Amino acid sequence: MFCRILMAATLGALPLQNAAAETYALVVGADQYPYESSLDGAVKDAEDVAAALGQAGITQIAKFIDADVTKVAIRDAWTDFVERASKDDTIIFTYAGHGSQMPELVAGDEDDGLDEFLQLPGFDRDRAEETDHEIIVDNELNAWFAEAEAKGIRVLFVSDSCHSGGMSRSFSGKTRLAPAVTVKLSAPSEEAMSGAKLRERDFRDVTVLAASLESQPTPEVIINGEPRGALSWSFARALEGAGDRNGDGMISRLELEDYVFSNVKNQSEALQVPNFTPQIPRSQDEVVVSLSRSLIRPTETAPGTGTGTGQANGLKSARDLGWTDKLALSVSGSTIAIANIGGAGVPYRWDAAAGNFYTPNGDLAGQAITEARVQGVVDKFVLLDFLKAMASQKAGTVSLTPLKDLYRSGDRLTFAAPASGYSSRVVFNLANTGEVQLIDVQSAASEAAFKLPDLEVVRPFGADHLVVIATNEPVDAIAAVLASPSIDAATLLQVLQTRIDASDSSIAIQPLYTQERP
């Protein structure tokens, strides 16, 4: 399997990169597929990643978009980079587009009998034998990576595509999964055969970051009003400096993992769990990307060490990050005046007659949402966008177990947050009805791990969002507002803007989508 081979590749313990080491980047994004359903966000992903690479001080970039995405062009660029690169240099290869499967080329090579491949725009499954030169098979990628590793070149492959999987929740966007090829094809290249011999033990300096687990799809989700890939979006923000937690000009494997896991979950509303290779880093010194010194935050040193709000810590306000206090909303069946709407992009939807409130991704976010309740739901999602903007700089870690994309009535689960290194913590829930529910406050004390066990899914169903704010800022005023019986999302937003916007505060968000058991 493409995911199995590459996800299981072994990453050696990488020392800190030499300051003179060069980084090369191969960026690919395809929306337009003449013989397949086209995508909406892959080109935006590639353009965003390329721009972020440039901001990170990486100048050796080969970018291929839509009609320029051909196997020959990509292979030539890869070969050029491998020939020019020296030991300890890095090649970053990012791909946003369709993925698919086909019967294995080498009998017994794959556990499930299927090879995975990147489907480029020129491939037509109805003329598979004639156009198979426009696919890149997992075995071929293994051979390419082996070429780099033979010279001591490090590889970071970021694949924002899909090869298998399914989801429980309804979804209105596109997935980056093309239909499987059912007929057995001839090998499109010698590498497609030789690469089948390579196994995880053969790779020491290859890091692979995939958009989701093999059991999940890779959907295009709405981010800032536009269809995007959550992995590409998160990787671009990491490159801009948000992934460099300690400000040393390098993104370690641990830093990238912490940042990407949290923000992919936030932006995909828990539809995706990224997959790293290896699953457990071998050392804290593994470096995957070196940044320009100009991106380093001037006073930030480590999580939980910031002091005070404001831009002196190098963190931006939510508005500086693009957040607005407006929500794009399409309304049917009601003419009631609703405040804080009018934002741009793909809208939320409220069907007043049915009482259903939907996210831009098509998820059912709330049931029985009446005219009396809809303002609270709108205010909830305005607040949630504020929190996501803050989390894009300082994302915390939380978890639900067992892990599902949709929970049914009667399911029991545990919500947990590890100690974060901050002195204070506030935990609350933004309910699917728009209500704000205080769960826990720890003020001016040594923060310990938090656990809320044996939660049961009950009515009403929709989308709850459990939030943990960890900070060194005073939280007594926040706690007092949350404890008020009249607390609402709009009031809480005003308090958070005053108290923690642009501060060194960690924000963790756990979406919880629920539905009646069939």
Side-chain angles (χ1 to χ4, degrees):
M1 298 291 295
F2 175 81
C3 292
R4 175 183 62 78
I5 292 175
L6 296 181
M7 288 304 98
T10 302
L11 174 65
L14 305 182
L16 295 180
Q17 291 187 354
N18 188 305
E22 184 71 79
T23 298
Y24 302 82
L26 174 55
V27 180
V28 178
D31 280 339
Q32 300 304 314
Y33 281 81
Y35 311 108
E36 196 59 70
S37 60
S38 290
L39 299 171
D40 296 322
V43 169
K44 295 187 186 76
D45 289 345
E47 298 285 7
D48 191 18
V49 168
L53 287 163
Q55 290 186 47
I58 297 167
T59 59
Q60 304 295 324
I61 302 174
K63 182 177 69 176
F64 301 97
I65 300 297
D66 278 340
D68 294 329
V69 177
T70 66
K71 187 174 182 178
V72 168
I74 295 169
R75 184 58 167 114
D76 286 349
W78 176 269
T79 300
D80 177 57
F81 285 164
V82 172
E83 290 178 349
R84 291 163 53 194
S86 303
K87 186 178 185 299
D88 293 332
D89 286 350
T90 299
I91 299 177
I92 299 173
F93 179 8
T94 71
Y95 174 81
H98 274 309
S100 189
Q101 297 176 311
M102 66 181 185
E104 61 185 358
L105 296 172
V106 178
D109 175 46
E110 306 287 355
D111 292 339
D112 63 355
L114 296 171
D115 271 318
E116 277 72 37
F117 62 88
L118 306 181
Q119 180 170 324
L120 308 184
F123 178 69
D124 180 0
R125 68 192 61 253
D126 292 332
R127 298 180 298 118
E129 291 286 355
E130 301 170 51
T131 61
D132 65 2
H133 57 281
E134 292 302 334
I135 64 175
I136 303 176
V137 186
D138 50 8
N139 300 343
E140 293 176 297
L141 284 171
N142 286 340
W144 296 11
F145 298 160
E147 291 175 356
E149 189 158 277
K151 289 187 63 176
I153 302 165
R154 300 184 176 98
V155 174
L156 172 60
F157 178 51
V158 181
S159 178
D160 205 341
S161 62
C162 187
H163 298 90
S164 63
M167 66 177 76
S168 299
R169 280 156 51 188
S170 59
F171 186 77
S172 60
K174 296 179 179 178
T175 60
R176 296 180 177 180
L177 174 64
V181 173
T182 57
V183 298
K184 185 174 178 61
L185 301 179
S186 300
S189 69
E190 175 57 35
E191 293 170 336
M193 301 300 289
S194 64
K197 301 174 184 178
L198 299 175
R199 286 294 183 268
E200 52 267 26
R201 63 179 177 272
D202 298 308
F203 294 109
R204 300 178 306 277
D205 294 334
V206 176
T207 307
V208 177
L209 174 54
S212 58
L213 301 171
E214 190 174 342
S215 60
Q216 296 176 311
T218 299
E220 292 193 333
V221 298
I222 304 303
I223 302 177
N224 296 329
E226 295 183 324
R228 291 292 305 274
L231 177 62
S232 295
W233 185 92
S234 299
F235 183 59
R237 304 291 78 74
L239 290 171
E240 289 173 346
D244 181 18
R245 291 185 305 177
N246 63 5
D248 65 356
M250 292 174 285
I251 300 177
S252 72
R253 158 62 201 270
L254 288 170
E255 288 175 323
L256 186 62
E257 180 179 278
D258 288 345
Y259 184 82
V260 165
F261 268 97
S262 296
N263 279 285
V264 167
K265 177 169 68 175
N266 290 346
Q267 298 301 332
S268 73
E269 286 291 292
L271 277 172
Q272 294 173 246
V273 178
N275 205 344
F276 259 98
T277 301
Q279 291 187 344
I280 300 176
R282 291 192 169 186
S283 90
Q284 296 185 0
D285 296 330
E286 298 168 8
V287 173
V288 289
V289 182
S290 292
L291 304 175
S292 165
R293 299 298 297 182
S294 64
L295 294 178
I296 300 174
R297 295 170 183 152
T299 60
E300 187 180 357
T301 55
T305 62
T307 55
T309 58
Q311 307 253 335
N313 58 20
L315 297 169
K316 296 179 179 179
S317 70
R319 288 195 184 276
D320 287 340
L321 292 166
W323 171 80
T324 69
D325 55 1
K326 304 295 182 185
L327 194 76
L329 179 66
S330 172
V331 177
S332 63
S334 175
T335 58
I336 186 176
I338 304 173
N340 302 328
I341 63 173
V346 180
Y348 288 77
R349 292 187 298 115
W350 176 45
D351 181 344
N356 293 332
F357 197 96
Y358 297 92
T359 73
N361 293 327
D363 268 315
L364 180 61
Q367 294 178 310
I369 305 303
T370 63
E371 290 186 344
R373 183 169 281 174
V374 68
Q375 185 66 63
V377 176
V378 167
D379 291 342
K380 166 200 166 165
F381 283 104
V382 171
L383 169 58
L384 188 62
D385 284 346
F386 169 83
L387 293 168
K388 286 182 178 181
M390 292 191 61
S392 72
Q393 297 182 109
K394 284 281 190 175
T397 301
V398 289
S399 64
L400 278 179
T401 52
L403 178 64
K404 300 179 182 179
D405 58 15
L406 180 67
Y407 296 86
R408 305 284 185 174
S409 54
D411 283 349
R412 293 186 177 275
L413 48 130
T414 296
F415 174 60
S420 66
Y422 291 87
S423 62
S424 300
R425 176 180 57 213
V426 179
V427 185
F428 57 92
N429 181 44
L430 299 177
N432 58 67
T433 57
E435 295 174 283
V436 180
Q437 301 161 340
L438 175 63
I439 297 175
D440 181 66
V441 175
Q442 186 176 51
S443 177
S446 178
E447 187 203 357
F450 172 81
K451 180 177 284 189
L452 190 63
D454 203 32
L455 295 173
E456 183 179 0
V457 175
V458 297
R459 290 180 180 274
F461 304 114
D464 282 37
H465 290 80
L466 296 154
V467 179
V468 177
I469 299 176
T471 184
N472 290 327
E473 302 297 322
V475 296
D476 291 344
I478 300 173
V481 169
L482 280 165
S484 169
S486 60
I487 178 62
D488 56 46
T491 302
L492 180 58
L493 172 59
Q494 292 177 352
V495 173
L496 295 180
Q497 282 184 278
T498 302
R499 298 286 177 173
I500 64 170
D501 196 11
S503 72
D504 177 13
S505 300
S506 169
I507 311 296
I509 306 168
Q510 177 61 61
L512 171 58
Y513 281 78
T514 61
Q515 196 175 94
E516 182 73 79
R517 188 173 298 278

